C-alpha cells in the first residue's frame, strides 16, 4: 500500500449545515475523519490537520507554509502521494502556487466539496476517496499538482471554479480535464506539456488585481498608485484591450517601474497585441505591459508574486509569462 499524506486546511468539505438556520460553518471535529476506514482500504493514510479555515481566509502566506510543510514531510517521511482538502473558493490559487513551488514528482492532489458534510448529496467523502486513489496511482507521478473533484482530474494551471454551487464547478476551459476517475481506474488521457518551477522561499510582494469594465473610472489607477504595490494584474477586455481613460494611469505605473501583467476577463483564449487603437493590445504592448498566455487573473497574480521574488527585469518577466 502507498503511504499518503492527507493534509486538511478546512473549507466546506470540513463544514456542516445548521438545520435551524440553513447556514454552513466549520464543524468542531473534522467530519472527514469518518472516511478514514474507507481510505485505509486504498492506502496507508497519515492525517495532518494543518489548518481549519474557510478558503476566503487563506492567504498566500498560508499557501507558502503549506508548500514548505509538504516538501519537508515528503523528504523526511517518504510519502508517496499527498492529498490536500481545501475550500473551493480559493482552491485554484493554492493549487497553482503549490504547482509553481513544489520540487517533487510525488503526486499532489487538491480537493474540496460543494456540499457540506451533512447535506443531502454531500460530495466531500467521494471527492476525498477519488483524490486518494489518484494520489496513490503510479500514473499521477510527475504530472504536477492536480485538482480532483467530481470524477475529473485537472491541472492546477488550467482549472478554475466556474459555478457557485454546482458540484461540476471545476473546469479547465479550453483544455478540459487530463484524466478521469472511474469505479475501477484512474485514467489519464493527456500529459501536461510543460512544467514550471521556482525556487522561492519567501513571498514579500504586494500584487493588486483589477478588472476592466465599460466606463471605468480612471482615478482608480491613481488610488492604486498611493498603495504600497509592487505589481499589477489587469483583467482586460477580450483579446487584451482596456478603456483609453486608464492608459495615463498605466503609463504612470510603468514610469514608477511597477510591472503590469495583462490577462483577459474572457474565459478562453489568450491576450494578443491585435488592436492598435488607444488602449488596444498593440498600444499596451508598446507601453511595456507584460502579456500572458491563458492564465486567469487570480493565477497571474500568484505567478507575479512568485516571479518578482526571482527577477524584476521586465523582459525576463515577459519571458516567464509566456511559458
Ligand atoms: N466558501 C467555501 C470555502 O471556500 C466554499 C467551499 O469550500 O466549497 O471555504
Amino acid at each position: 500500500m502507498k503511504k499518503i499524506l492527507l493534509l486538511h486546511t478546512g473549507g466546506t468539505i470540513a463544514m456542516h449545515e445548521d438545520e435551524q438556520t440553513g447556514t454552513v460553518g466549520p464543524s468542531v471535529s473534522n467530519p472527514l475523519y469518518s472516511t478514514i476506514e474507507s481510505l485505509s482500504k486504498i492506502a496507508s493514510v497519515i492525517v495532518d490537520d494543518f489548518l481549519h479555515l474557510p478558503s476566503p481566509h487563506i492567504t498566500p502566506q498560508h499557501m507558502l507554509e503549506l508548500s514548505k510543510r509538504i516538501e519537508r514531510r515528503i523528504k523526511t517521511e517518504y510519502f508517496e502521494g499527498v492529498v490536500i482538502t481545501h475550500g473551493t473558493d480559493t482552491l485554484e490559487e493554492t493549487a497553482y502556487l503549490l504547482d509553481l513551488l513544489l520540487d517533487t514528482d510525488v503526486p499532489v492532489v487538491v480537493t474540496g466539496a460543494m456540499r457540506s458534510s451533512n447535506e443531502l448529496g454531500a460530495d466531500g467523502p467521494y471527492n476525498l476517496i477519488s483524490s486518494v486513489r489518484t494520489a496513490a496511482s503510479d500514473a499521477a507521478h510527475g504530472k504536477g499538482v492536480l485538482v480532483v473533484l467530481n470524477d475529473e482530474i485537472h491541472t492546477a494551471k488550467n482549472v478554475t471554479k466556474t459555478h457557485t454551487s454546482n458540484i461540476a464547478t471545476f473546469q479547465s476551459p479550453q483544455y478540459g480535464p487530463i484524466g478521469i476517475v472511474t469505479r475501477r481506474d484512474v485514467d489519464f488521457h493527456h500529459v501536461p506539456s510543460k512544467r514550471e518551477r521556482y525556487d522561492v522561499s519567501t513571498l514579500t510582494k504586494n500584487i493588486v488585481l483589477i478588472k476592466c469594465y465599460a466606463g471605468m473610472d480612471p482615478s482608480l489607477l491613481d488610488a492604486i498608485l498611493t498603495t504600497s504595490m509592487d505589481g499589477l494584474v489587469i483583467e482586460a477586455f477580450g483579446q487584451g484591450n482596456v478603456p483609453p481613460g486608464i492608459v495615463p494611469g498605466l503609463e504612470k505605473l510603468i514610469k514608477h517601474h511597477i510591472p503590469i501583467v495583462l490577462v483577459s476577463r474572457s474565459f478562453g483564449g489568450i491576450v494578443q497585441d491585435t488592436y492598435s487603437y488607444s488602449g488596444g493590445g498593440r498600444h499596451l504592448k508598446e507601453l511595456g505591459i507584460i502579456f500572458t498566455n491563458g492564465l486567469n487573473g487570480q493565477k497571474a497574480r500568484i505567478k507575479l508574486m512568485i516571479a518578482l521574488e526571482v527577477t524584476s527585469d521586465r523582459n525576463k518577466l515577459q519571458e516567464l509569462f509566456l511559458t
Side-chain angles (χ1 to χ4, degrees), residues 33-256:
Y33 292 153
S34 64
T35 58
I36 284 296
E37 207 185 307
S38 320
L39 295 179
S40 66
K41 292 181 191 138
I42 306 165
S44 164
V45 176
I46 313 292
V47 178
D48 179 346
D49 287 303
F50 174 51
L51 295 171
H52 194 22
L53 292 175
S55 76
H57 297 197
I58 299 236
T59 65
Q61 292 308 324
H62 290 124
M63 299 173 193
L64 181 66
E65 263 180 68
L66 178 63
S67 79
K68 289 182 180 172
R69 192 174 182 106
I70 292 171
E71 222 162 70
R72 177 172 50 76
R73 293 204 66 175
I74 289 176
K75 278 191 190 129
T76 57
E77 297 167 69
Y78 309 105
F79 283 103
E80 294 162 286
V82 179
V83 174
I84 300 137
T85 64
H86 198 288
T88 59
D89 288 347
T90 61
L91 187 152
E92 64 194 84
E93 282 152 272
T94 295
Y96 188 51
L97 182 135
L98 294 176
D99 194 45
L100 294 178
L101 295 190
L102 285 177
D103 185 16
T104 182
D105 274 342
V106 162
V108 176
V109 177
V110 191
T111 192
M114 297 303 285
R115 299 183 188 135
S116 65
S117 56
N118 59 339
E119 283 178 71
L120 207 57
D123 50 333
Y126 184 83
N127 285 337
L128 180 57
I129 288 168
S130 303
S131 298
V132 171
R133 287 179 59 208
T134 306
S137 101
D138 291 336
H141 236 256
K143 296 214 165 48
V145 173
L146 302 169
V147 171
V148 173
L149 284 100
N150 202 36
D151 283 340
E152 292 185 343
I153 307 170
H154 294 264
T155 60
K157 184 174 182 184
N158 293 327
V159 77
T160 192
K161 184 174 179 177
T162 63
H163 195 286
T164 58
S165 55
N166 193 313
I167 59 163
T169 183
F170 282 94
Q171 306 285 331
S172 298
Q174 241 174 179
Y175 305 105
I178 63 164
I180 54 169
V181 182
T182 68
R183 277 183 178 270
R184 278 169 224 266
D185 288 312
V186 173
D187 274 341
F188 284 88
H189 46 257
H190 295 301
V191 178
S193 54
K194 289 173 210 150
R195 294 272 310 274
E196 206 182 336
R197 208 205 139 251
Y198 297 88
D199 200 4
V200 160
S201 59
T202 53
L203 292 175
T204 58
K205 308 296 180 195
N206 178 20
I207 311 297
V208 173
L209 166 63
I210 59 169
K211 182 177 194 138
C212 285
Y213 50 90
M216 197 170 178
D217 182 354
S219 62
L220 191 62
L221 272 290
D222 295 325
I224 288 176
L225 201 53
T226 63
T227 67
S228 57
M229 179 184 61
D230 302 298
L232 174 71
V233 177
I234 182 152
E235 268 186 36
F237 304 123
Q239 284 191 35
N241 312 304
V242 304
I246 71 161
V247 170
L250 296 178
E251 284 172 325
K252 237 187 257 173
L253 291 175
I254 289 169
K255 220 186 260 164
H256 284 80

